Amino acid sequence: MDLLKLQNGSDIRGIALEGVDGESVNLTAVGVWQIAASFSEILSKRLGKKVRISLGRDSRLSGKELLEAAAAGIEHSGCSAVDFGIATTPAMFMSIMDEDLDVDGAIMVTASHLPFNRNGMKFFMKEGGADKKLIREILENAEKNEYSDEFKLYSQCGKDNFLVKYAEGLRNYIIEKTGMEKPLAGTRIIVDAGNGAGGFFAGEFLEKLGADTDGSLYLDPDGMFPNHVPNPEDKTALEIIKKQVVDVKADLGIIFDTDVDRSAIIDSEGNAVNRNRLIALISAILLKEHPGSYIVTDSVTSKGLKKFIEDKGGVHHRFKRGYKNVINESIRLNEEGHESHIGIETSGHGALKENYFLDDGAFLAVKILTEFANMKKKGSDIFDLIRDYEDPAEEKEIRIKIGREDFLEYGKDVIQGIEEKASEIEGWSVEKPNYEGVRINCDENKGNGWFLLRMSLHDPVLPLNIESDSVGGCEIIEKKLLELLKEYEDLKY
């Protein structure tokens, strides 16, 4: 089996279960055994000792078997493992920072919001999550680890319920920042965990801080995800929690993805505070604490968000798609002397400087809840912070498929061609600086908005995002762009 094909940026992902037509299993227990053994070998070599690695998983049906295989691989390499059972991705990193546990690295078995038959692995060390280069090194080394039936897919690693301690750390944060033992007393806050790993947040965090969580949804882990896709961007998931917030008269709602590295908020009127609005809300909070901070986002953020951040005294630094990209860019800016307190994607991945630049959906929610509690004590509403945020009139995304094997080069040629043609079109101007694809601003007579055409991070696809401040503007922009794309015969849209 070619393990290198399992690389998905800075993660490993594959098909772990049969059950979907046309999708054959390529992430096996044996493969996970090899990969975990490889990670422990590489980390041991780096640290000059036999390491101890914590293991966690989300609620997927394949998770238990794959975690046990990972533990067996680690033990085969002469290292030791500790099994956290169902956990969150951010908790796995925080386990490394816990001196009592004395672990050197962590592996989370998860495929985030992907369907039930998928699974994957995320890797952490004290310096943070693995990058693309390390993932490739792990996989190349893994292919040298030949599995033998003598080793068995069985482990006797220790067990620990670290999620309880992780939740305690979140509680201590909000108590310290608000000066109240029960900062959420008198509020109703509901959680939609989507049958993933985030159900702990209702009982171990909210309720212990005084909140009423009655009406929360899908807190129990279920690897079939029977109610909705556990994804804060999914329209069905959002409609369910928006309705529930209104029906139970909650003060706000929180929705997590499967492994809780992403989240979104619902206000008391049932409005979703996600994507650009979520970035606006956390930016407003951070800019009160750190005036002038750079806010690093991905490339598809709204024109209204840029205006909002600048009006609040911040600097909007629009970078590339990919949560590791925005995190690393925020870290880079700090190293160069530009204060930056967050790297955040519109998908809900948000990593704060004060939290090790860890993309932690629970901590992002806690940061918002801290401001919610402090403002409530003063008789204010946290959502007043984004009352002046301006949504576009229209938004649209189109995924243009590339029917070529050399899709990367072809896609780059298309993007370059559109950028060159844009200078010849009246009412169009190329956005500079721009770190990904080509972003074109369109004046009031040409759609009153912008579009971004870029390469997908992994697939033979050109995602096209269009936004307009006028009703009908997206259609005007789309029509003109598609005329230009007709000369590229290997595009399908």
Side-chain angles (χ1 to χ4, degrees):
M1 181 177 294
D2 185 0
L3 296 179
L4 288 173
K5 291 182 178 179
L6 297 173
Q7 180 163 6
N8 185 67
S10 55
D11 300 339
I12 285 169
R13 288 186 182 174
I15 300 164
L17 291 176
E18 301 287 356
V20 177
D21 288 343
E23 296 191 0
S24 301
V25 171
N26 62 359
L27 182 65
T28 65
V30 171
V32 168
W33 183 95
Q34 293 174 281
I35 293 165
S38 173
F39 176 59
S40 55
E41 289 166 0
I42 290 169
L43 191 55
S44 292
K45 186 175 180 180
R46 285 189 178 190
L47 300 180
K49 64 174 185 176
K50 291 297 184 182
V51 295
R52 177 173 159 87
I53 296 176
S54 55
L55 295 166
R57 62 183 178 89
D58 65 23
S59 56
R60 293 169 190 280
L61 301 178
S62 58
K64 187 174 186 296
E65 179 190 14
L66 296 186
L67 187 148
E68 290 175 351
I74 291 166
E75 291 173 355
H76 170 69
S77 70
C79 300
S80 60
V82 56
D83 175 6
F84 288 173
I86 290 182
T88 72
T89 293
M92 297 311 300
F93 171 76
M94 294 304 293
S95 71
I96 306 172
M97 313 310 291
D98 189 306
E99 294 182 359
D100 294 335
L101 282 173
D102 189 30
V103 298
D104 304 291
I107 299 174
M108 178 68 178
V109 179
T110 182
S112 190
H113 64 280
L114 294 179
F116 79 95
N117 66 323
R118 306 296 182 96
N119 218 324
M121 303 168 78
K122 296 182 179 182
F123 303 84
F124 297 95
M125 301 151 294
K126 284 190 184 295
E127 57 266 37
D131 58 17
K132 293 179 182 179
K133 183 179 178 181
L134 178 56
I135 294 296
R136 185 169 184 87
E137 182 184 354
I138 291 169
L139 291 174
E140 287 177 342
N141 187 62
E143 293 192 328
K144 302 173 186 176
N145 289 320
E146 294 186 8
Y147 172 76
S148 166
D149 288 339
E150 297 174 17
F151 303 143
K152 306 293 183 186
L153 290 175
Y154 174 74
S155 159
Q156 298 187 46
C157 71
K159 294 185 181 294
D160 192 294
N161 187 8
F162 180 70
L163 204 52
V164 172
K165 192 170 185 180
Y166 167 75
E168 180 184 7
L170 296 177
R171 293 199 306 273
N172 289 340
Y173 178 90
I174 191 171
I175 289 169
E176 178 187 344
K177 295 295 184 181
T178 61
M180 297 180 280
E181 288 296 316
K182 299 285 185 180
L184 302 178
T187 67
R188 173 172 284 184
I189 301 172
I190 65 170
V191 173
D192 183 342
N195 300 115
F200 80 97
F201 198 79
E204 290 293 329
F205 181 80
L206 294 172
E207 290 175 11
K208 290 187 176 182
L209 294 170
D212 176 0
T213 64
D214 187 40
S216 290
L217 299 168
Y218 320 132
L219 302 182
D220 295 330
D222 185 334
M224 288 300 295
F225 309 123
N227 296 291
H228 63 69
V229 175
N231 181 357
E233 290 189 283
D234 183 72
K235 291 181 180 179
T236 299
L238 285 171
E239 288 305 316
I240 290 171
I241 189 171
K242 284 162 63 175
K243 181 177 185 301
Q244 185 75 346
V245 166
V246 173
D247 287 350
V248 304
K249 296 180 172 58
D251 293 285
L252 57 82
I254 303 166
I255 181 170
F256 293 117
D257 74 342
T258 320
D259 60 330
V260 197
D261 56 5
R262 294 189 294 142
S263 59
I265 306 295
I266 310 298
D267 71 18
S268 60
E269 297 176 358
N271 299 307
V273 182
N274 67 339
R275 297 184 62 78
N276 286 287
R277 281 189 162 267
L278 180 65
I279 300 173
L281 180 59
I282 191 62
S283 296
I285 294 168
L286 289 172
L287 289 169
K288 286 170 66 176
E289 299 174 359
H290 309 285
S293 174
Y294 278 64
I295 308 295
V296 180
T297 73
D298 61 4
S299 59
V300 299
T301 47
S302 169
K303 184 169 67 175
L305 180 65
K306 178 179 175 64
K307 180 178 184 300
F308 179 88
I309 290 171
E310 292 177 348
D311 287 349
K312 298 294 182 185
V315 180
H316 181 208
H317 186 78
R318 189 175 56 79
F319 196 57
K320 300 176 183 177
R321 292 282 281 180
Y323 72 94
K324 290 291 288 186
N325 288 331
V326 296
I327 292 170
N328 290 339
E329 182 69 358
S330 187
I331 292 170
R332 185 191 68 81
L333 286 170
N334 280 289
E335 290 173 347
E336 293 187 355
H338 301 292
E339 189 176 13
S340 177
H341 285 270
I342 192 169
I344 184 167
E345 269 202 311
T346 46
S347 66
H349 279 287
L352 283 83
K353 182 180 180 181
E354 67 176 305
N355 191 42
Y356 305 99
F357 275 115
L358 176 65
D359 56 318
D360 185 343
F363 185 81
L364 187 66
V366 170
K367 186 73 177 176
I368 292 168
L369 288 169
T370 301
E371 186 69 13
F372 168 80
N374 282 329
M375 291 183 68
K376 188 175 185 297
K377 184 168 59 174
K378 298 175 183 177
S380 302
D381 181 355
I382 188 173
F383 298 109
D384 288 342
L385 295 176
I386 55 172
R387 297 292 180 208
D388 55 347
Y389 172 76
E390 299 175 7
D391 282 311
E394 295 181 336
E395 297 175 90
K396 187 170 186 178
E397 182 175 47
I398 303 169
R399 293 179 66 80
I400 302 171
K401 296 180 180 179
I402 303 174
R404 294 265 296 254
E405 288 189 12
D406 61 336
F407 64 88
L408 281 174
E409 288 303 316
Y410 190 75
K412 289 177 184 177
D413 289 343
V414 173
I415 290 168
Q416 183 178 347
I418 295 301
E419 183 169 354
E420 291 171 355
K421 290 181 174 63
S423 61
E424 303 170 4
I425 297 175
E426 184 179 354
W428 279 18
S429 61
V430 179
E431 175 94 358
K432 297 288 185 180
N434 185 63
Y435 298 96
E436 180 174 44
V438 57
R439 181 157 165 154
I440 306 297
N441 296 313
C442 308
D443 70 16
E444 293 183 1
N445 297 318
K446 297 294 183 178
N448 196 23
W450 57 267
F451 72 83
L452 175 74
L453 185 68
R454 62 182 178 86
M455 274 302 305
S456 168
L457 295 176
H458 310 294
D459 302 318
V461 169
L462 285 166
L464 169 64
N465 292 87
I466 308 174
E467 180 181 293
S468 175
D469 290 326
S470 300
V471 175
C474 283
E475 184 179 354
I476 293 171
I477 295 170
E478 178 186 350
K479 183 178 179 181
K480 182 61 179 177
L481 177 59
L482 294 186
E483 284 178 10
L484 300 180
L485 292 176
K486 284 181 180 178
E487 70 174 78
Y488 299 97
E489 296 178 354
D490 292 311
L491 298 181
K492 299 177 183 179
Y493 43 86

